Amino acid sequence: MYDAAPESEDPDDLRTASRELDGRRPWLDPAEQVPYGHVLHAAAVLGHAPADVVARLTALGHTDVQVAEGPLPDRVEPGDLVLLRDITAEYRPTWLDVAEPVPLRQILGRGSLTDRSPADVARRLTALGYRLGGRGEPLPETPDRGDALLITMSSGRYREWADWGDEVPAYRVREAAWETRRSLYATATRLLALGLRLPYTPDPSDEPLLPPTWAGWYYSTPPAGHILDVARRTGRTPADVAARLTELGCSPPPVPDTPEADDYVILSEELDGRGPWLAQNTVVGLSMRHILRGALATGRAPADVAGRLAVMGHRLHGNAILPEAADEEDVRLLATVDRSYLDDVHLEHVLRSASLTGRSPADVAARLTALGYQLPDKVDYPEVRGSLATG
């Protein structure tokens, strides 16, 4: 810390030479460069022209005072100071470096903070002597508090932000749409207006493809039912919808060129022909209970339902054993099983299912084994039925 006070009795000189503009330590070191931000800060607080602040600092022995390349502004307003704090300095307040182009994050972040449009922030920083990055493209005249979030390229402690002219990956456009609760098309057009590039051309017809309330962007694989439903509602072919989703950075599952009427039923979670749609699970596979419920709802055999779902990317786990016919008792039993085909079913799980269904533990164990579940416990399950659990 530099401790020597300037040799002046002028209160304004003392304030100008102090880092906090309070006329007290810490003082600016004459051997170090005075940041341009300090010049503008002093001008705003003391009511002087920036040129006068530079002259005062020079007279006080500061030979290296940073200034803008062009003419200095006539006046600095107190409201300008928030624009000059470097948004990338997270731990120690730092003035924006006038020797470097202003990053896009600075403009959008300060615009969000002050409810000013990107164009307004850019104009004011330019008037204060800063130069912008990019190629001089016009920025939006409308403020949007979500702008700073739109250009965030990563999360966590070490974040990264897109800068002038960067290309935003398609997956990030989807993430930003979901995070800001806006449509994919609105997100994409705003990014273009901010001077960024996209790997595809936004189209208003993208609106129904990935609605902002759908969080499936995280998994990048839209449900087959969603694709068929969009095709049905928009008059597009399933192949066309899938191709556009691929351009948008998704990995759509296979879909039939000509859907069958039952496809909408077996692809819906509630088997009612509408969303929410069955999502792919490549880890534990397709739910046996869903197959059996789908068979009962459509009158098809379980193998027929499973085969049709396999055509659309849904696979059974290798351990699963399909029964020849669907049975309501199996559906009720499977509703009590919270184990996947990757998990072992132990005694406590069998006893729980027996209690909830009124079946004997031996009957439950035998039926789960017949459906392909692994029961490794070497126990003799009782044949006695328990009373139904009520709570």
Side-chain angles (χ1 to χ4, degrees), residues 225-277:
H226 173 76
I227 296 175
L228 296 184
D229 184 51
V230 169
R232 177 174 58 178
R233 289 187 287 108
T234 62
R236 301 165 72 170
T237 66
D240 178 45
V241 174
R244 182 56 178 170
L245 285 169
T246 300
E247 292 178 344
L248 298 176
C250 296
S251 301
V255 288
D257 293 332
T258 305
E260 299 176 2
D262 286 346
D263 288 346
Y264 299 98
V265 176
I266 62 177
L267 286 171
S268 61
E269 289 186 1
E270 301 301 327
L271 300 168
D272 56 5
R274 54 188 181 179
W277 301 104

Side-chain angles (χ1 to χ4, degrees), residues 119-300:
D120 186 28
V121 174
R123 276 192 296 267
R124 188 55 190 157
L125 285 172
T126 301
L128 291 172
Y130 290 86
R131 56 191 175 92
L132 309 181
R135 295 179 295 181
E137 302 92 338
L139 289 169
E141 294 285 352
T142 54
D144 191 324
R145 289 192 173 186
D147 281 345
L149 181 58
L150 289 185
I151 67 166
T152 305
M153 294 295 104
S154 61
S155 58
R157 181 178 180 183
Y158 301 104
R159 290 191 175 189
E160 295 181 359
W161 284 263
D163 207 354
W164 304 94
D166 285 350
E167 180 173 285
V168 179
Y171 79 86
R172 179 55 204 157
V173 182
R174 298 198 313 274
E175 291 178 352
W178 184 81
E179 290 168 357
T180 58
R181 297 300 189 269
R182 67 182 86 194
S183 73
L184 190 69
Y185 178 70
T187 302
T189 52
R190 184 68 177 185
L191 286 167
L192 290 178
L194 294 173
L196 300 171
R197 296 180 295 113
L198 302 179
Y200 63 88
T201 301
D203 191 303
S205 64
D206 293 336
E207 291 282 3
L209 299 187
L210 294 174
T213 55
W214 180 56
W217 57 264
Y218 184 80
Y219 303 99
S220 79
T221 302
H226 173 76
I227 296 175
L228 296 184
D229 184 51
V230 169
R232 177 174 58 178
R233 289 187 287 108
T234 62
R236 301 165 72 170
T237 66
D240 178 45
V241 174
R244 182 56 178 170
L245 285 169
T246 300
E247 292 178 344
L248 298 176
C250 296
S251 301
V255 288
D257 293 332
T258 305
E260 299 176 2
D262 286 346
D263 288 346
Y264 299 98
V265 176
I266 62 177
L267 286 171
S268 61
E269 289 186 1
E270 301 301 327
L271 300 168
D272 56 5
R274 54 188 181 179
W277 301 104
L278 190 65
Q280 269 190 333
N281 191 324
T282 58
V283 178
V284 300
L286 191 57
S287 162
M288 175 69 77
R289 183 169 182 267
H290 182 83
I291 293 176
L292 299 185
R293 291 177 64 227
L296 291 170
T298 60
R300 294 187 174 195

Side-chain angles (χ1 to χ4, degrees), residues 299-315:
R300 294 187 174 195
D304 188 18
V305 173
R308 188 60 184 169
L309 287 171
V311 169
M312 295 177 282
H314 294 277
R315 308 278 181 192

